[in-house]
Amino acid sequence: MRRKITLKDIARELDVSISTVSKALKNSEEIGRDTKEKVQAFAKLYNYKPNNIAVSLKNKHTKNIGVVIPDIVHHFFTTVFRGIEKYANSRGYNVIICVSDESFDKEVINMEMLANGSIDGFIMALSGETQLKNDYAHLKEVTNQGIPLVLFDRVTDEVNCDKVVLNDEEIAYEVVMKLINSGRKRIALFTTENFFNVSKNREDGYRKALMDSGIVVDEELILRLPFNENIDAIDPFFDKHTIDAVLAVNEIFAVHAMGVAQKKGMKIPDDISFIGFTNGMLSKYASPQLSSVAQHGDKMGEIAAKMLIERIEAEYKEDEEEEVVYRTEIIKGTLIERASTIN
Amino acid sequence: MRRKITLKDIARELDVSISTVSKALKNSEEIGRDTKEKVQAFAKLYNYKPNNIAVSLKNKHTKNIGVVIPDIVHHFFTTVFRGIEKYANSRGYNVIICVSDESFDKEVINMEMLANGSIDGFIMALSGETQLKNDYAHLKEVTNQGIPLVLFDRVTDEVNCDKVVLNDEEIAYEVVMKLINSGRKRIALFTTENFFNVSKNREDGYRKALMDSGIVVDEELILRLPFNENIDAIDPFFDKHTIDAVLAVNEIFAVHAMGVAQKKGMKIPDDISFIGFTNGMLSKYASPQLSSVAQHGDKMGEIAAKMLIERIEAEYKEDEEEEVVYRTEIIKGTLIERASTIN
DNA sequence: TATCAACACGAAACCGTTTTCGTAAGTCAA
DNA sequence: TTGACTTACGAAAACGGTTTCGTGTTGATA
């Protein structure tokens, strides 16, 4: 078992000082040709690689970014994560991921662990509990310490930082308009409790589209499924209400609802059409295939990572505390039309 | 912007030495009651938290584990990851994740980055390219350096380390037997190129089940879909061959195949039945619902993490290089029967 | 021959901890 | 009063790098 070789080892072996070795490996002008070549050859031979931890300690940055998300087994979050990881990697950053599991406490604990030097910045989507409690002290704490933070998808106005979100309200408005224009009149909304900013925004778009079309919003047609994604309430909903379209805030609600509707003898999309959010596997392989709003998670992740890394690397320069201006990047969702709406 | 407070700050402020502060915060017997209380109160007041990086450098362990997987937008890997993350977190470890994207080079680069002090151990599933090239020098390099490694799912005999895998051959044997016992005679296998150990093992189980039942294996009924999961070949397959059952090595192949079969007018499960691997969302929401082998990703991840952390923490004790014995843990898959096989 | 810059390198501080070891002051018994 | 222990703390090394600054040696110049 070969132990990793250090600068000190090289210095001892070659009978020069540690600083000389360090400089030689960085190709510093200060060091003579011969010495440089000797050191570099030796380092290559023994496969010397600087110890990340030591470099981090000295340089005060880790080249790690922390990602905190509510759930990892979830198509949208994984695509965002993939975008983050890809971009971060291309910039030489590694990604530490923590799952809050929709729990406020876990979110806090995870952030505290990472905030003590392990990472240079955070990218996160708020947990459900955090949005419910509306308590963002841990986020403010982190930004106060000067650690850059980028929020995506599940964001809040309460904290001042860069953000990247979907144009939830707009796209919901658009797709509902599309349903209305194709003749649908009784359009249900299957959503979650609306302390989630995304659900709330989509609902706003839904309401606005109806109102702008002269349709009064029937509150009965808004079905709020519980936090834990328990979908049992969908079946009875179809017994109680006659509807000709459904907008669901995610794939699962939509696909499950399609199953229920079909079981009750309705024809899709003749009798009823469906549109979901999150254009994932389910949308593609459901039958009929589900029309769905693509949220472009990859792009979202890439942009979030880019914003974060820019902040991180800007910090090295500006000692002068100029008033920082935070940006909110808005990604446009796109409706992918499939058999659940086209006939 | 409050900077983080250090031992040195506390020491200066309280007019004691750094070592005293350090010991006081660890409640060392060496330090007097008064001093301890004073230091602890001050530390709490200013919310002192030790710098992870400095502790890591000193203690030679990071409390980070590195996970390298081929893909993150993939139900099985995310469930394994969730298991790893959960267990690791409960033991105070953070998880750094790198995606190899099925690329050998990325796998190598990622591992090298992490191996230079960033992590205490690796958990990984081999990339497709790595299995194809059959080149494991980077893994051996890492284990040679004394970094513990646990391989899961996509493993190889070429490297000596702990492993956790599914009983692929056995479970494939079992489910094919089940198909045979329910009267199926022409059972197709939809698999990938078989440099993947899992595909190969499942194929072996499939062959063995047929042979043990006195059915000669018709090589024509084994469809090898390409690396990139391009599934176009499935449609023509149904035109060329008459079959009454399909075993697919993943959900996508199976669900897609069900769609094709239905389009060609076959009734599931009357005319043909389907069984897939990876009991994910697709299996549950396909129509008909797909019978699928649950791979228990969560459990696999948890066990992998447990094995790894045991190795890591054992290293601190045993200086004596007793001959280490590596274990291979085998998880039993379970067939979840649904409408694609039951009638 | 004395002066001086350029060159090539080393000493040492530093990042923030942990930990070993040394020691001053206090306590106690002889 | 002296010697032997405790007690309570500090100095310093160490982890593995980076970086600033100082300095001995050269060769060129006046």
Side-chain angles (χ1 to χ4, degrees):
Chain A
M1 187 176 106
R2 297 190 322 271
R3 233 191 66 265
K4 289 230 98 178
I5 192 176
T6 70
L7 285 188
K8 194 194 283 190
D9 298 328
I10 302 183
R12 187 179 354 91
E13 222 60 38
L14 261 40
D15 210 43
V16 291
S17 77
I18 293 180
S19 21
T20 301
V21 177
S22 176
K23 291 169 192 164
L25 291 175
K26 294 195 133 47
N27 234 320
S28 157
E29 290 307 321
E30 250 182 292
I31 306 298
R33 264 179 53 100
D34 300 0
T35 314
K36 272 204 279 198
E37 282 173 5
K38 190 175 59 174
V39 171
Q40 287 170 4
F42 190 92
K44 171 162 280 179
L45 180 61
Y46 286 92
N47 193 29
Y48 168 80
K49 295 278 165 48
N51 178 307
N52 292 156
I53 299 293
V55 175
S56 292
L57 180 58
K58 180 67 193 172
N59 292 349
K60 312 274 240 159
H61 59 249
T62 60
K63 286 269 183 178
N64 286 153
I65 75 187
V67 173
V68 183
I69 52 180
D71 186 3
I72 181 73
V73 186
H74 185 300
H75 186 267
F76 171 64
F77 287 126
T78 56
T79 55
V80 175
F81 181 79
R82 187 215 267 152
I84 295 173
E85 205 265 349
K86 198 169 169 194
Y87 184 79
N89 243 281
S90 78
R91 296 284 300 260
Y93 284 76
N94 279 120
V95 181
I96 301 186
I97 185 166
C98 287
V99 178
S100 66
D101 229 350
E102 303 286 10
S103 144
F104 176 80
D105 290 340
K106 280 200 198 168
E107 189 175 286
V108 172
I109 292 175
N110 283 329
M111 290 192 71
E112 279 181 356
M113 282 204 58
L114 296 182
N116 296 312
S118 299
I119 51 101
D120 296 339
F122 281 106
I123 296 178
M124 60 181 297
L126 298 167
S127 83
E129 244 183 71
T130 306
Q131 296 216 54
L132 180 55
K133 291 185 66 162
N134 213 37
D135 179 350
Y136 306 106
H138 52 305
L139 302 197
K140 290 172 186 163
E141 172 68 22
V142 151
T143 53
N144 270 340
Q145 283 172 25
I147 303 178
L149 166 67
V150 176
L151 248 29
F152 75 90
D153 192 59
R154 305 248 203 106
V155 306
T156 172
D157 291 336
E158 299 286 314
V159 14
N160 237 294
C161 66
D162 291 320
K163 289 158 199 169
V164 31
V165 295
L166 197 75
N167 61 341
D168 283 298
E169 183 174 339
E170 262 183 58
I171 188 73
Y173 181 90
E174 280 175 29
V175 302
V176 172
M177 273 304 190
K178 196 155 214 161
L179 289 171
I180 293 169
N181 290 335
S182 70
R184 305 300 175 175
K185 297 203 156 36
R186 294 191 49 78
I187 304 171
L189 173 67
F190 289 3
T191 182
T192 64
E193 307 284 352
N194 69 4
F195 50 80
F196 283 114
N197 62 309
V198 290
S199 298
K200 177 167 188 325
N201 292 340
R202 289 168 196 175
E203 182 175 330
D204 289 348
Y206 162 86
R207 287 176 182 275
K208 193 151 180 296
L210 293 183
M211 283 167 47
D212 286 2
S213 309
I215 303 179
V216 279
V217 176
D218 181 351
E219 300 293 337
E220 290 285 310
L221 295 191
I222 299 180
L223 176 62
R224 292 184 208 287
L225 280 319
F227 191 65
N228 58 0
E229 303 208 336
N230 179 321
I231 50 188
D232 296 342
I234 292 181
D235 194 295
F237 181 92
F238 275 89
D239 293 332
K240 277 205 286 285
H241 306 285
T242 54
I243 53 178
D244 55 15
V246 171
L247 172 65
V249 297
N250 63 42
E251 278 188 327
I252 300 197
F253 292 175
V255 170
H256 187 80
M258 288 204 302
V260 171
Q262 285 173 313
K263 200 166 295 167
K264 304 214 182 274
M266 305 175 84
K267 295 275 169 254
I268 306 171
D270 299 325
D271 305 336
I272 183 168
S273 39
F274 288 84
I275 295 181
F277 271 77
T278 307
N279 178 42
M281 286 291 172
L282 280 185
S283 301
K284 208 145 95 197
Y285 285 105
S287 67
Q289 292 186 59
L290 176 69
S291 294
S292 197
V293 174
Q295 294 173 270
H296 306 296
D298 285 88
K299 192 174 163 196
M300 210 150 164
E302 183 183 328
I303 291 181
K306 193 169 184 174
M307 288 174 100
L308 183 70
I309 293 177
E310 271 169 18
R311 285 275 178 229
I312 291 172
E313 306 199 336
E315 285 202 328
Y316 304 155
K317 323 216 161 181
E318 46 159 290
D319 285 284
E320 282 321 301
E321 195 102 358
E322 344 161 353
E323 200 48 52
V324 272
V325 177
Y326 294 109
R327 295 180 306 151
T328 293
E329 196 85 29
I330 296 170
I331 308 285
K332 283 195 168 41
T334 32
L335 177 65
I336 310 294
E337 292 226 52
R338 297 207 183 82
S340 71
T341 52
I342 303 171
N343 42 5
Chain B
M1 187 176 108
R2 296 189 323 272
R3 233 191 65 264
K4 290 230 101 177
I5 191 176
T6 70
L7 286 187
K8 195 193 284 190
D9 298 327
I10 302 183
R12 187 179 353 91
E13 222 59 39
L14 262 38
D15 211 43
V16 292
S17 76
I18 294 180
S19 19
T20 301
V21 177
S22 177
K23 290 170 193 162
L25 290 175
K26 294 195 134 49
N27 235 321
S28 158
E29 290 308 320
E30 246 183 292
I31 305 298
R33 260 177 57 98
D34 300 359
T35 314
K36 272 203 279 200
E37 282 172 6
K38 190 175 61 173
V39 171
Q40 287 171 3
F42 190 92
K44 170 161 280 180
L45 181 61
Y46 286 92
N47 193 29
Y48 169 79
K49 294 279 164 50
N51 178 308
N52 292 157
I53 299 293
V55 174
S56 292
L57 178 58
K58 180 66 195 172
N59 291 350
K60 310 276 241 161
H61 60 250
T62 60
K63 287 269 185 176
N64 286 153
I65 75 187
V67 173
V68 183
I69 52 181
D71 186 4
I72 180 74
V73 188
H74 186 300
H75 186 269
F76 172 65
F77 287 127
T78 57
T79 55
V80 175
F81 181 78
R82 187 214 270 150
I84 294 173
E85 205 265 349
K86 199 168 166 193
Y87 184 80
N89 243 280
S90 77
R91 296 284 299 261
Y93 283 76
N94 279 119
V95 181
I96 300 186
I97 184 165
C98 287
V99 179
S100 65
D101 229 351
E102 303 286 10
S103 145
F104 176 81
D105 290 340
K106 281 199 197 169
E107 189 175 285
V108 172
I109 291 175
N110 283 328
M111 291 192 69
E112 280 181 354
M113 281 204 59
L114 296 182
N116 296 312
S118 300
I119 51 102
D120 297 339
F122 281 106
I123 296 178
M124 60 182 297
L126 298 166
S127 84
E129 245 184 71
T130 306
Q131 294 216 45
L132 179 55
K133 291 185 69 161
N134 213 35
D135 179 351
Y136 306 105
H138 51 307
L139 303 197
K140 291 172 187 161
E141 172 68 23
V142 151
T143 53
N144 270 340
Q145 284 173 25
I147 303 178
L149 166 66
V150 176
L151 248 30
F152 75 90
D153 192 60
R154 306 249 203 104
V155 307
T156 173
D157 291 336
E158 298 286 315
V159 14
N160 239 294
C161 65
D162 292 320
K163 288 158 201 170
V164 30
V165 294
L166 197 74
N167 61 340
D168 284 299
E169 183 174 339
E170 262 182 57
I171 189 72
Y173 181 89
E174 280 175 29
V175 303
V176 172
M177 271 306 189
K178 195 154 214 162
L179 289 171
I180 293 170
N181 289 336
S182 69
R184 305 300 176 175
K185 298 206 151 40
R186 295 192 49 78
I187 303 170
L189 173 67
F190 290 1
T191 182
T192 65
E193 307 283 350
N194 68 5
F195 50 80
F196 284 114
N197 60 310
V198 290
S199 298
K200 178 167 188 326
N201 292 340
R202 290 169 195 174
E203 182 174 330
D204 289 347
Y206 162 86
R207 289 176 181 276
K208 193 151 180 296
L210 293 182
M211 284 166 47
D212 286 2
S213 310
I215 303 178
V216 280
V217 176
D218 180 351
E219 300 293 337
E220 291 285 310
L221 295 192
I222 299 179
L223 176 62
R224 291 184 208 286
L225 280 318
F227 191 63
N228 58 1
E229 304 208 337
N230 179 322
I231 49 187
D232 296 342
I234 291 181
D235 194 295
F237 181 92
F238 275 89
D239 294 332
K240 279 204 284 285
H241 306 286
T242 54
I243 54 180
D244 55 15
V246 171
L247 173 65
V249 296
N250 61 43
E251 278 188 325
I252 300 197
F253 292 174
V255 171
H256 187 80
M258 289 204 301
V260 171
Q262 286 173 312
K263 201 165 293 166
K264 304 211 182 279
M266 304 176 84
K267 294 275 169 254
I268 306 171
D270 299 325
D271 304 337
I272 183 169
S273 40
F274 288 84
I275 295 181
F277 271 77
T278 306
N279 178 42
M281 286 291 170
L282 280 185
S283 301
K284 206 145 96 197
Y285 285 105
S287 67
Q289 291 187 60
L290 176 69
S291 295
S292 196
V293 175
Q295 294 173 271
H296 306 295
D298 285 88
K299 192 174 164 196
M300 211 153 163
E302 183 183 328
I303 291 181
K306 192 169 185 172
M307 290 174 98
L308 183 69
I309 292 178
E310 271 169 19
R311 285 274 177 230
I312 290 171
E313 306 199 336
E315 284 203 328
Y316 303 156
K317 323 215 160 180
E318 46 158 292
D319 286 282
E320 282 320 303
E321 194 103 357
E322 346 162 352
E323 198 51 51
V324 272
V325 177
Y326 293 108
R327 295 180 306 152
T328 293
E329 195 86 28
I330 296 171
I331 309 284
K332 283 193 166 42
T334 31
L335 177 64
I336 310 294
E337 291 226 51
R338 298 206 184 82
S340 72
T341 53
I342 302 172
N343 43 7

